[in-house]
Amino acid sequence: DGIRDHCVTGVQTCALPIYYINVLSKKGEKVILCLRGSKRYDPNIIGMTGFLRKKVFIPFTYQNGDHIVSVAEGILDEMNEDFGLPAKVKRTVISNYYNIHELKSKSQENLDLLPDAFFEEHAVFIAVGRLAYEKGFHLLAEVFCQVVFVVPHAKLIFVGAGDYEKQIQERIKKNQRSEEHTSELQSH
């Protein structure tokens, strides 16, 4: 087992040709590719360079690796749908680490963000997560604007932050104006 028998490479966004070296230069060793995020929704894959990455570099890289390790099954499914991973490429999901003790401790903290009466007076829907396009919160916000027709005192609260928060808020405001009803987005 020499050093060339084991080659692990992290291909985060495939932005530069240097990330392809391990796949292009492999001579018998196994190449394991780490896949940590969506390529379908990656905001950095745009323009002519993005076109080449999606049509040439990303498919070539992932189709010629020996093993893909991903943080989510959905990301592997997306890669298979978009780039046709061959059956010979082994796939493993290793989910992101969660500190269970810290989460349990934080769940007991009183946030005092809203008074208890708020929850007694309204039907409250809470969505938790990173506010990013690929998480689909914008779709939830759109559907929620219809929910308030049936449940007039409904409130939607997003717990989380992300680069898509402003777009979600704009979508709700647009729906409020066009449908003459009120819904509320709060993010914490």
Side-chain angles (χ1 to χ4, degrees):
D1 274 350
I3 193 76
R4 289 203 39 90
D5 294 333
H6 304 283
C7 179
V8 178
T9 186
V11 182
Q12 188 76 319
T13 59
C14 300
L16 301 171
I18 192 138
Y19 293 123
Y20 308 114
I21 290 175
N22 285 335
V23 171
L24 292 171
S25 67
K26 82 178 197 175
K27 294 180 181 171
E29 72 274 14
K30 301 285 185 197
V31 176
I32 301 170
L33 303 168
C34 299
L35 182 58
R36 299 195 45 80
S38 171
K39 302 300 169 234
R40 182 183 292 166
Y41 300 110
D42 187 331
N44 299 308
I45 303 178
I46 57 173
M48 181 53 92
T49 305
F51 176 81
L52 286 172
R53 286 170 63 197
K54 279 195 172 179
K55 297 298 182 190
V56 178
F57 296 120
I58 294 173
F60 176 82
T61 300
Y62 287 98
Q63 290 172 0
N64 288 288
D66 296 292
H67 195 138
I68 298 174
V69 178
S70 175
V71 296
E73 190 71 41
I75 294 173
L76 285 176
D77 292 343
E78 174 188 300
M79 289 297 287
N80 195 47
E81 291 168 14
D82 294 356
F83 305 113
L85 299 176
K88 69 176 179 125
V89 177
K90 195 172 173 187
R91 299 163 179 95
T92 302
V93 173
I94 301 175
S95 299
N96 287 325
Y97 171 76
Y98 297 100
N99 183 332
I100 300 300
H101 298 295
E102 181 182 357
L103 291 174
K104 285 182 179 179
S105 174
K106 286 188 176 283
S107 73
Q108 301 303 312
E109 292 178 11
N110 187 359
L111 298 178
D112 290 328
L113 297 174
L114 296 168
D116 290 342
F118 178 85
F119 294 97
E120 294 168 5
E121 296 167 5
H122 301 93
V124 180
F125 296 82
I126 300 175
V128 180
R130 181 172 52 90
L131 301 179
Y133 178 84
E134 61 269 19
K135 301 295 184 180
F137 286 114
H138 60 290
L139 301 173
L140 176 60
E142 225 166 83
V143 169
F144 184 77
C145 289
Q146 301 301 313
V147 169
V148 294
F149 283 120
V150 180
V151 186
H153 298 291
K155 301 291 181 188
L156 174 60
I157 299 173
F158 287 113
V159 179
D163 57 356
Y164 210 64
E165 184 174 351
K166 185 177 179 182
Q167 291 89 333
I168 294 170
Q169 289 173 332
E170 288 171 358
R171 187 169 282 195
I172 288 177
K173 286 177 186 172
K174 177 183 164 196
N175 282 339
Q176 285 176 338
R177 285 190 301 270
S178 67
E179 302 191 22
E180 298 180 11
H181 66 275
T182 60
S183 59
E184 187 171 322
L185 168 69
Q186 296 184 4
S187 57
H188 299 285

